[in-house]
Amino acid sequence: MQFEGSRKTLPERRHNESDRLYELACQFMPGGVNSTLRNVLPHLVITRTAGARITDADGNEYIDYQGAFGPPLLGHNHPEVNRRVTEALERSLLPGVGVTPLEIELAQKIQRHVPSAQKVLFSNSGSEATFHALRVARAFTGRRKILKFQGCYHGFHDAVLTNILSPVEKIGHPDPHSAGMLPEVMAQTLVCAFNSLDDVEQALRAHKREVAAIIVEPVAHNMGCVLPKPGFLEGLRQLATAHGTVLIFDEVITGFRHHLGGYQAICGVKPDLTTLGKAIANGFPLAVVCGKAEIMDHFTTRPGGDAYFAGTFNGNAMSMAAALATIDVLEREPVHRHIFALGERMRRGLQEIRQRLDLRATVAGFGSIFLTYFMEGPIESYSDVVRNDAARFVEYRRRLMARGIFKIPLNLKRNHIGYAHREADIDRTLEACERVLKEMTAAPQTSAGGV
Ligand SMILES: Cc1ncc(COP(=O)(O)O)c(C=O)c1O
């Protein structure tokens, strides 16, 4: 659990009702929340989400840049998405046998938009999608090992839940993120430095014909925003091909957010398999594993396949309709132009503030994603982001919360802009950021992580 710092000096906003309900939640749920990183201070009980805003149980409204870690790309409760879901539910939710026209339509759309998607399957969460992608890569290659990158996150299963936001002394060593993980599984996971092709080449050479898959976030958003250096993704493609290894782009964050075709449509590198999630159904639960037909055809959804694939809720009408509606809006309206322009405005504004206040900080981001690291660059791998001043990073965000701006107060987390944000939101946010940064410069921090 991540309780960072103390909430004792938060000004202006009352949290009495959130506190009361949170205590009630704790009586029934371990830690009172249903996903680890939701347990932040001050405790939040959210009673309403709408567009670019969230409101808590005390009536405090926030401009939301957390965006539930990425899904509401079009904004919370998008009316068209919700309407299409309701209409679909009037016909059918989950026949659980055969296939529905909605599944066929969505698979076709994904195939049309995502360059690597020759065939497509649906599940409900990003963790399921990466689990299936890795398993089918093993089935396809007959190999055991997988290669991931330090600082990247691909879900909660044993093969990948290691070496995420590791303490500095764990870089270069196994760093399981949970008790109860099987050492036998982790022993098959190799960890390399993001943006280091040398590292990857060495690992592939040392484990010749043993590595089934390389899995990578094409933009490393689980450490904020670490962009691939020119040539890195191309180099991974070449190395994977040369070593008979399946290349998996985990586009659970980047898919639809940066482009309808995922980041692969921007960088021009085609992986063998792709996973999508989060933003693709604008908040409804949906994930995709897609890729080369010769690999995808190993799944047991095809008679004769050998890589087991199943899920009671897979392909349910709610998620299908939500994704189809999301795609329609993305195809029809200038969503990416809008969110990229706002992202640019935010980053430019933050950069100017950084210069005016002469801060040791780096403004980073891509498209609709932004964040300020409290450190100087360059930022190319996890070994760089460990220099971020976590206490200041969290303090900054706590102080912004007290002014109605919500960026989750956890180290290294990125912020998301959606189609519902407006220029006025960005400008109000920049004003608040400058005020808070001035306060923090005037009064050095008092406690690790606290305000
Ligand atoms: C890149 C990436 N892959 C996979 C996952 C797992 O997705 P989920 O939380 O839907 O299981 C996440 C979640 O944050 C992610 O960021």
Side-chain angles (χ1 to χ4, degrees):
M1 248 181 278
Q2 306 229 358
F3 295 109
E4 297 194 28
S6 141
R7 54 162 300 194
K8 60 185 178 300
T9 51
L10 271 174
E12 293 160 29
R13 300 203 151 209
R14 291 163 59 87
H15 292 274
N16 305 359
E17 187 58 7
S18 275
D19 284 345
R20 188 187 71 76
L21 286 170
Y22 176 73
E23 272 171 34
L24 184 64
C26 287
Q27 290 176 28
F28 308 108
M29 293 177 267
V33 297
N34 275 299
S35 191
T36 302
L37 295 185
R38 293 182 191 173
N39 212 331
V40 295
L41 285 168
H43 298 300
L44 283 176
V45 174
I46 300 297
T47 51
R48 186 173 156 72
T49 61
R53 302 284 193 281
I54 56 174
T55 307
D56 69 22
D58 294 272
N60 300 310
E61 189 183 81
Y62 305 85
I63 303 178
D64 181 26
Y65 293 103
Q66 168 54 14
F69 289 93
L73 178 62
L74 304 178
H76 292 287
N77 314 355
H78 190 271
E80 180 172 338
V81 176
N82 287 7
R83 178 180 54 75
R84 295 266 297 270
V85 167
T86 313
E87 284 168 8
L89 294 186
E90 279 162 13
R91 286 189 297 276
S92 149
L93 172 57
L94 187 66
V97 63
V99 68
T100 59
L102 287 177
E103 290 166 83
I104 301 169
E105 197 187 340
L106 182 58
Q108 215 171 1
K109 284 267 183 190
I110 303 262
Q111 195 230 45
R112 188 173 321 145
H113 283 294
V114 179
S116 64
Q118 292 174 357
K119 292 225 173 146
V120 180
L121 283 171
F122 301 116
S123 62
N124 301 288
S125 71
S127 297
E128 287 175 76
T130 57
F131 177 92
H132 288 305
L134 291 170
R135 178 186 273 167
V136 80
R138 287 183 166 124
F140 177 71
T141 57
R143 300 175 180 182
R144 290 177 169 224
K145 292 195 187 300
I146 63 125
L147 189 155
K148 79 176 282 284
F149 294 90
Q150 176 69 58
C152 288
Y153 177 71
H154 304 287
F156 53 63
H157 47 100
D158 288 8
V160 286
L161 192 64
T162 187
N163 296 82
I164 304 159
L165 302 187
S166 303
V168 69
E169 68 277 8
K170 287 287 192 176
I171 299 176
H173 305 281
D175 181 26
H177 201 56
S178 173
M181 289 170 64
L182 286 174
E184 299 88 325
V185 176
M186 281 183 290
Q188 304 300 332
T189 300
L190 308 170
V191 180
C192 289
F194 191 80
N195 270 327
S196 172
L197 286 175
D198 285 351
D199 219 12
V200 176
E201 187 161 14
Q202 253 178 37
L204 290 174
R205 285 224 172 112
H207 300 276
K208 245 187 179 353
R209 285 185 284 281
E210 288 182 299
V211 183
I214 298 172
I215 185 164
V216 65
E217 292 180 68
V219 179
H221 281 310
N222 276 294
M223 27 179 164
C225 183
V226 181
L227 287 164
K229 287 205 292 201
F232 177 62
L233 297 173
E234 291 82 350
L236 288 184
R237 178 63 281 173
Q238 281 163 11
L239 284 170
T241 305
H243 287 264
T245 297
V246 173
L247 180 63
I248 304 170
F249 276 8
D250 181 357
E251 299 230 38
V252 163
I253 296 174
T254 51
F256 287 20
R257 175 162 289 280
H258 294 335
H259 193 287
L260 247 173
Y263 192 74
Q264 59 197 264
I266 296 173
C267 70
V269 176
K270 216 191 268 189
D272 301 303
L273 292 176
T274 299
T275 51
L276 306 169
K278 294 197 191 281
I280 61 174
N282 205 55
F284 289 88
L286 177 64
V288 167
V289 52
C290 57
K292 274 192 177 153
E294 60 176 328
I295 304 176
M296 293 292 293
D297 278 340
H298 272 261
F299 281 121
T300 51
T301 46
R302 187 184 69 79
D306 58 0
Y308 191 72
F309 187 93
T312 302
F313 299 113
N314 290 0
N316 71 80
M318 171 187 74
S319 305
M320 299 298 102
L324 283 165
T326 303
I327 292 172
D328 282 353
V329 177
L330 291 170
E331 285 175 343
R332 197 181 64 222
E333 297 186 27
V335 176
H336 288 106
R337 199 176 339 131
H338 178 79
I339 61 177
F340 273 53
L342 292 192
E344 202 47 51
R345 188 181 185 92
M346 181 71 87
R347 287 187 292 273
R348 201 178 335 111
L350 289 169
Q351 195 66 268
E352 286 164 11
I353 293 169
R354 188 193 68 76
Q355 279 161 2
R356 271 200 296 280
L357 303 184
D358 194 22
L359 294 174
R360 273 193 64 228
T362 303
V363 177
F366 179 84
S368 58
I369 300 275
F370 69 97
L371 80 161
T372 304
Y373 294 100
F374 287 87
M375 57 178 278
E376 275 158 340
I379 299 176
E380 296 176 349
S381 75
Y382 187 72
S383 306
D384 296 320
V385 301
V386 282
R387 290 187 286 110
N388 184 46
D389 184 336
R392 282 186 90 66
F393 190 93
V394 172
E395 178 185 357
Y396 170 54
R397 289 174 175 221
R398 286 247 175 72
R399 288 181 186 251
L400 282 173
M401 269 181 80
R403 283 163 185 76
I405 311 291
F406 188 61
K407 304 175 177 180
I408 200 164
L410 295 175
N411 191 29
L412 294 176
K413 295 300 168 214
R414 65 197 174 275
N415 305 301
H416 311 80
I417 290 170
Y419 196 41
H421 287 87
R422 296 285 166 264
E423 279 188 1
D425 296 325
I426 306 301
D427 295 346
R428 194 181 127 196
T429 303
L430 287 168
E431 262 176 52
C433 290
E434 180 148 21
R435 194 160 338 127
V436 160
L437 287 165
K438 270 186 187 152
E439 280 168 21
M440 286 171 59
T441 318
Q445 66 196 84
T446 50
S447 66
V451 179

